[in-house]
Amino acid sequence: MPVKSKNVQDKKTKEEKLEWENLNITPEVVGLVPYEAAKKYRFVPLEKDGQTLRVGVVEMDDIEVQNALQFLAEKNQLSVEMIKISEKDFKSSLGAYTSPTFTISKALESYSQQETSGKIEEKKDEKETEDIIRDAPVAKIVEVILRNAIEGMASDIHVEPLEDYVRVRYRQDGVLHNSLMLPKKIGPAIVSRVKILSNLKIDERRKPQDGRFRIIEKGKQIDFRVSSLPVSMGEKVVMRVLDKEQGLISLEDLGIQGRNFDIIKKSIFEPFGMILVTGPTGSGKSTTLYSILQILNKEGVNIVTLEDPVEYAIEGINQSQVKPEIGYSFATGLRSILRQDPDVIMVGEIRDKETAELAVHAALTGHVVLSTLHTNDSIGAIPRLVDMGVEPFLVSSSLRVVIAQRLVRRICKHCKEEVKMSEAAKAGIEKILSEVSDSNRKSLDLPAEIKMYKGKGCPQCGGTGAKGRVGLYEVLYVDEQMANLLGDKIDEDEIRKAAMAQGMILMKQDGIAKVVKGLTTLAEVERVTEEGYLEIE
């Protein structure tokens, strides 16, 4: 069939350029032209309309290019329409050959061919099974899933077996998004491939397993923490993405500002005392602790951590991972750490009375102790420690700072725009900010005029209007006056009054400050703090 030539180079308008940039090149279309041919002759398939294949070509008048297209036209029984494109557009469109959808569709096709030819079958020999799972199609699918997560800055990957297919979801900025739907038959092979990477038992499907593995992506070292769980439809795998460059950031970049920043910076350099970070799972407690450790990590300071598990390896810090199955728990590990002449101790989490008492005594004997606790706010950490069995007078003597935190999504800076506020919302914001002292208002660097913003959605944020996350913080400082309130009976109301008199910035106040500064939205702040205290429009 003849090749039809259509040179539109001189007629290309700005509007057509925009249409080209938004062109969605499907795996079906890409599959019609081999990658080697596209790269050699500098042409790329754009779209198929009936029996006509539109191909973007850099050199329209090259005889070899026309002959190659003539061959492709006859092979696929199509007519080919040539469109003049620039070198830049060609290089950009060539990326369709490495897109996740195309790569996975080709890998699935290869896997199906192996299955049809009988190469994939049930084998009793575990070594043979491993060889099959290491084979190119399954390995390529897993590789694409991992790379997709890294490029999308996802924090977690969920591979979930459902009734008719396997679903892959990514958690981005705290929200799970559907990404891939794969055939049901490929699910067990993907799980087994991840298990092999994590050095787990691939034939153990009846109980949960935990492991980790590491890859190098574009010169960066990325760790993955793996958890497998038996579910009704098979085995589910969740992989936590641990990118050192993303995980180790400064206190300022986390969103700690004003009085909160000053208190934390002052307290961590005191000779002894306990600093607790509280909040639900996934609220960024470990990241905050790592940020503090980075500040304290000096040549003359011996820092020892006890974690479950070690998420980010930091040079110069002695990091130890607990293993409860062999009796190495937080409590037993903390006893050993105290014999290691530490200056700073970080305990991943205070879970029981024994760990709590050891942490308190360590803080009283010349150590800075950092740890986490599960409470709803900063003040709740005090009765929680007492409930665990720590005497109130020991809490008052050892506790220095409690940091409560939540994470909210940042407004995408590429598509941020001002939005109109309702009078009720404006009045509510003004009321909350009026309760902030003048000195705190100054330290928070609040704008003179109250405005609200949102992200309208753009390619940079995937149309969500949000990119990245920022923390909301509430910092309780236990000074001498506060310590005197922690007698035999803990009265949370009295502690709260004293904290407010001290100038504590509440979490919702910190959130509203970030709303008017254009960092996040009112809806996000309401989602993680008190519901319904402002009217959202």
Side-chain angles (χ1 to χ4, degrees), residues 410-460:
R410 279 184 186 266
I411 296 172
C412 174
K413 62 184 179 183
H414 299 283
C415 61
K416 184 168 82 170
E417 62 179 11
E418 187 181 343
V419 292
K420 187 179 178 183
M421 271 190 295
S422 67
E423 289 301 317
K426 188 173 182 180
I429 287 174
E430 288 175 343
K431 181 177 183 300
I432 289 171
L433 293 180
S434 69
E435 295 166 358
V436 179
S437 67
D438 291 340
S439 61
N440 280 338
R441 285 176 69 94
K442 189 176 179 181
S443 71
L444 289 171
D445 192 26
L446 295 176
E449 188 180 354
I450 293 177
K451 293 181 179 179
M452 279 202 315
Y453 302 86
K454 72 170 185 179
K456 62 181 179 182
C458 67
Q460 295 285 339

Side-chain angles (χ1 to χ4, degrees), residues 255 257 259-260 376-379 402 404-406 431-433 435-437 440 444 471-476 492 495-514 525 528-530 533:
Q257 55 188 355
R259 174 184 179 271
N260 291 346
N376 290 325
D377 57 14
S378 57
I379 293 168
V402 183
Q405 67 180 75
R406 300 290 189 278
K431 181 177 183 300
I432 289 171
L433 293 180
E435 295 166 358
V436 179
S437 67
N440 280 338
L444 289 171
L472 307 187
Y473 296 89
E474 179 179 288
V475 177
L476 173 70
E492 285 191 56
I495 296 170
R496 187 168 278 103
K497 285 177 187 175
M500 296 307 296
Q502 188 189 77
M504 182 172 81
I505 299 171
L506 296 174
M507 193 178 293
K508 69 177 179 182
Q509 292 171 340
D510 188 48
I512 294 301
K514 288 182 169 78
V525 174
V528 300
T529 57
E530 302 173 31
Y533 59 82

